[in-house]
Amino acid sequence: MDSTEFRKRGVEMVEYICNYLETLGERRVTPSVEPGYLRHLLPSEAPQEPEDWDQIMVDVEDKIMPGVTHWQHPRFHAYFPAGNSFPSILGDMLGDGIGCIGFSWAASPACTELETIVLDWLGKAIGLPDHFLALKEGSTGGGVIQTSASECVLVTMLAARAQALKRLKAQHPFVEEGHLLSKLMAYCSKEAHSCVEKAAMICFVKLRILEPDENASLRGQTICEAMEEDELQGLVPFFVSTTLGTTGSCAFDNLPEIGKELKKFPCVWLHVDAAYAGNSFICPELKPLLKGIEYADSFNTNPNKWLLTNFDCSTLWVRDRIRLTSALVVDPLYLKHGYSDAAIDYRHWGVPLSRRFRSLKLWFVLRSYGISGLQHYIRHHIKLAKRFEELVLKDKRFEICNQVKLGLVCFRLKGSDKLNEKLLSAINESGKLHMVPASVNERYIIRFCAVAQNATGEDIDYAWDTIVDFANELLEKEQH
Ligand code: PLP
C-alpha cells in the first residue's frame, strides 16, 4: 500500500469506525458463536498472493464482527469500561505512524519526555502527593506507562523483593539467596485482583490472602496481626498490595489504617492498586477516597479503563524511582547512550524493552477534553449508576450488595445463588445486555457497570426493564 492508497483507505476506515460506533446499539452486545467459529470461515493458511483491500473489509463485517463482543455498546455492563474516544484513537494512530520504539531517552527523546510530563499532569490531577511527580523539585519519584495493572503490580513487587533481599543479604551474608527468598511474605485482601496472586507466583514469593471486613474492605489491624504472626514464624513481610475500587464490588481497602499500621514495618512496600477507581480521583469531591495515599510507595490506575483512553495505558507512579529501577536494570553496551545519567530510560521501569509512544494518546485525551471534560464524563457514569441503584431499590425482590460510590452497582435477586446464576445466564444468552458476576462475602452477585461513553438514562432504564422481564419469567417458572 502506498501513501496515495493509504489516504483513501484511511478515510474509509475512519468512516467505517464512525458507522460502527454510531450504529452499535443495533447489534447484539455479545456474539452468538461457538468456540472455533472463525476457523471454519477462514483459510488454514495465509494467502500466498496479495489480496484486495475491499475483500478484506467485506470479511471484517461478515466474519470478524459476528464474533466480536461489543465493549463500547450502550448495553454492555460487564467488567469495567474499556476506555475509548476519538482523540485517543487518533493519538494511537499518530503513535503508530511515527512508529518509534522509545525504550531509552536517546531512542526517541519526545517519547520519553512526553510520558514524564503527561504522568506528572495526571498525577497532579488525581491528587497524588508531590513525591510521586518526576519533575517536582527534590522529588525522587515519577510515573511510567505500563501495559496493564497486572504489570504495575508485578514490577512493584519485583522492586520490593529486590529491596528486601538486599537488606536480608546484608544482615545474613552467608545465607543462600534462595533461602532468604523463601522467607518473604506478601499480603493482599481476598478481594484483591488475581494479578497479585500471579505476581507472587512470578516473583516466587509467598502470598497471604487476608479476610476483609463485611464491606469488603481490608483493615489495618488484620494486616498488622498477620504480619506479627508471620514474623514470629521467622517470615519476612515485604509487600502489601491494597486496592481502591476492587474488581468484584468497587470496595475500598482502609488505606489510612493500613498505612498507619505499616509504620511499625518500615521496610514493607505499600502498593495501591486503583486500576478503575483511581481515574475518578480527578474529581475534587472524590478525592477523599484517596485518603492515606501519603503512606504509599506506589500507585497505579488505568486510564484505559475509565479515562477515555484506549488500551493499553496503565499508569504507575512510584515514590522512589531508584528503588524501582534497581530491580530491573540490565545495561548492555548497545543500549547505552551519552545521556544515560541525565535522562530517564523507561526500559529500566518495566519488563519489556520495546515501548510504544503511548503517552501521545493520553496527551491528546487530556488536552482535548481538559480535566473538566473528563470530570464531566466520570460524574455522568456515577449518575447513571445511581439511577440504576434507585431502580433496583424500588423493587423489593432485589437487593443492592455494595456501597455505590462510583459507576459499579452490585445487586442480586433475594434468593439463592443458583437463582441469580440462572437469571444472569438467561440475560447474557439473550444478547440484549451483558453483565458478569462476582463473589462478594461468599455470595453470588451480579455486577452492573456504567460503561459506554455516551450511555444515557434511557439505556439504564432499558437495562433495568430487561432485567425485570427476565426476573419475572424466571420467578414464575420457579413457582411451578
Ligand atoms: N486491579 C484491579 C483492581 C482491576 O479491577 C483489574 C481489572 O479489572 C486489574 C487489576 C487487572 O487489570 P489489567 O487487565 O490492566 O492487568
Side-chain angles (χ1 to χ4, degrees):
M1 186 182 284
D2 59 16
S3 59
T4 307
E5 193 181 357
F6 177 68
R7 279 199 176 90
K8 171 171 156 24
R9 298 306 187 183
V11 169
E12 286 172 10
M13 188 60 87
V14 167
E15 193 57 32
Y16 182 85
I17 292 170
C18 290
N19 279 336
Y20 168 72
L21 291 170
E22 282 164 6
T23 60
L24 203 47
E26 293 162 21
R27 297 179 190 249
R28 273 180 67 102
V29 185
T30 47
S32 171
V33 293
E34 299 282 326
Y37 94 96
L38 195 53
R39 216 175 45 209
H40 302 302
L41 298 177
L42 296 183
S44 56
E45 290 184 28
Q48 193 61 36
E49 301 301 330
E51 290 195 81
D52 179 47
W53 186 265
D54 287 323
Q55 190 51 48
I56 302 173
M57 288 306 291
V58 167
D59 284 354
V60 166
E61 195 50 47
D62 292 352
K63 297 176 177 163
I64 303 298
M65 281 299 173
V68 169
T69 300
H70 302 290
W71 283 62
Q72 307 306 326
H73 197 293
R75 290 185 287 284
F76 181 97
H77 298 290
Y79 314 106
F80 282 134
N84 195 358
S85 68
F86 293 128
S88 169
I89 295 170
L90 291 174
D92 244 354
M93 190 170 157
L94 179 60
D96 286 343
I98 293 171
C100 66
I101 304 291
F103 45 73
S104 65
W105 180 87
S108 193
C111 182
T112 297
E113 295 201 13
L114 186 64
E115 188 159 330
T116 309
I117 291 167
V118 166
L119 271 272
D120 266 22
W121 281 11
L122 183 59
K124 281 183 198 170
I126 284 174
L128 296 181
D130 283 354
H131 54 247
F132 283 117
L133 308 176
L135 301 174
K136 199 85 191 170
E137 194 68 35
S139 162
T140 53
V144 57
I145 300 178
Q146 306 280 358
T147 306
S148 66
S150 306
E151 239 177 78
C152 295
V153 172
L154 173 63
V155 296
T156 50
M157 195 186 283
L158 282 169
R161 186 184 77 160
Q163 180 186 297
L165 280 177
K166 191 172 162 198
R167 187 168 46 86
L168 287 180
K169 271 194 268 183
Q171 287 165 0
H172 310 282
F174 303 112
V175 179
E176 204 225 322
E177 186 166 314
H179 182 71
L180 297 175
L181 185 63
S182 74
K183 301 288 177 195
L184 295 187
M185 181 68 94
Y187 301 82
C188 69
S189 158
K190 201 166 86 184
E191 292 299 325
H193 191 269
S194 59
C195 68
V196 184
E197 215 174 321
K198 191 183 252 190
M201 275 164 57
I202 297 171
C203 289
F204 225 66
V205 292
K206 296 182 176 63
L207 175 68
R208 187 156 168 191
I209 299 177
L210 301 165
E211 277 298 323
D213 69 11
E214 65 286 0
N215 293 318
S217 167
L218 184 62
R219 307 298 298 267
Q221 199 183 349
T222 311
I223 289 252
C224 182
E225 283 171 6
M227 286 185 173
E228 283 171 357
E229 233 174 69
D230 288 341
E231 280 191 334
L232 286 176
Q233 302 292 322
L235 295 166
V236 180
F238 81 104
F239 183 79
V240 174
S241 190
T242 56
T243 313
L244 298 183
T246 59
T247 317
S249 63
C250 201
F252 290 74
D253 287 341
N254 194 321
L255 193 56
E257 265 184 25
I258 294 170
K260 268 183 217 134
E261 292 291 348
L262 284 192
K263 288 200 156 235
K264 297 180 203 152
F265 303 86
C267 299
V268 173
W269 182 299
L270 176 58
H271 179 67
V272 178
D273 173 13
Y276 165 70
N279 298 289
S280 71
F281 304 153
I282 61 166
C283 297
E285 70 277 18
L286 297 170
K287 283 194 172 41
L289 294 172
L290 187 60
K291 240 171 104 187
I293 189 63
E294 63 277 13
Y295 298 110
D297 293 289
S298 48
F299 171 90
N300 73 271
T301 190
N302 283 15
N304 68 244
K305 283 197 194 313
W306 205 17
L307 215 56
L308 295 172
T309 309
N310 289 68
F311 185 80
D312 55 328
C313 186
S314 185
T315 46
L316 168 71
W317 289 264
V318 289
R319 176 191 283 270
D320 181 346
R321 54 184 180 252
I322 301 298
R323 284 200 287 156
L324 175 67
T325 56
S326 59
L328 298 162
V329 168
V330 277
D331 223 4
L333 184 59
Y334 50 83
L335 295 176
K336 286 186 198 290
H337 57 88
Y339 295 99
S340 287
D341 292 334
I344 284 182
D345 282 352
Y346 278 123
R347 67 194 165 99
H348 300 313
W349 294 53
V351 175
L353 172 65
S354 299
R355 312 183 82 251
R356 298 175 66 233
F357 203 159
R358 292 179 287 205
S359 54
L360 266 182
K361 63 183 159 195
L362 188 52
W363 188 57
F364 273 63
V365 166
L366 289 169
R367 291 189 62 184
S368 53
Y369 286 92
I371 298 297
S372 68
L374 295 169
Q375 289 169 337
H376 175 78
Y377 160 74
I378 297 274
R379 288 174 185 140
H380 175 58
H381 273 191
I382 296 174
K383 221 184 277 168
L384 294 179
K386 286 283 173 199
R387 181 176 181 130
F388 185 80
E389 182 191 27
E390 271 171 34
L391 291 167
V392 178
L393 285 170
K394 274 191 206 147
D395 189 328
K396 297 298 168 217
R397 296 171 304 169
F398 288 88
E399 60 185 321
I400 292 288
C401 310
N402 70 331
Q403 294 175 330
V404 181
K405 293 181 175 157
L406 302 178
L408 180 72
V409 185
C410 298
F411 71 104
R412 72 198 303 274
L413 267 174
K414 290 173 185 163
S416 67
D417 285 357
K418 198 89 220 136
L419 185 71
N420 282 284
E421 275 175 48
K422 278 187 196 166
L423 174 65
L424 182 60
S425 130
I427 294 170
N428 280 339
E429 268 168 34
S430 77
K432 290 183 174 173
L433 288 188
H434 189 41
M435 298 176 289
V436 290
S439 172
V440 174
N441 289 336
E442 315 298 338
R443 287 198 314 170
Y444 182 96
I445 53 121
I446 302 175
R447 295 169 77 267
F448 179 94
C449 195
V451 162
Q453 182 184 357
N454 298 316
T456 61
E458 287 73 55
D459 291 316
I460 300 301
D461 297 346
Y462 171 90
W464 178 243
D465 290 345
T466 306
I467 293 165
V468 167
D469 285 348
F470 278 97
N472 288 342
E473 201 178 311
L474 176 66
L475 291 172
E476 199 165 307
K477 243 195 252 162
E478 295 282 310
Q479 273 175 355
H480 296 117

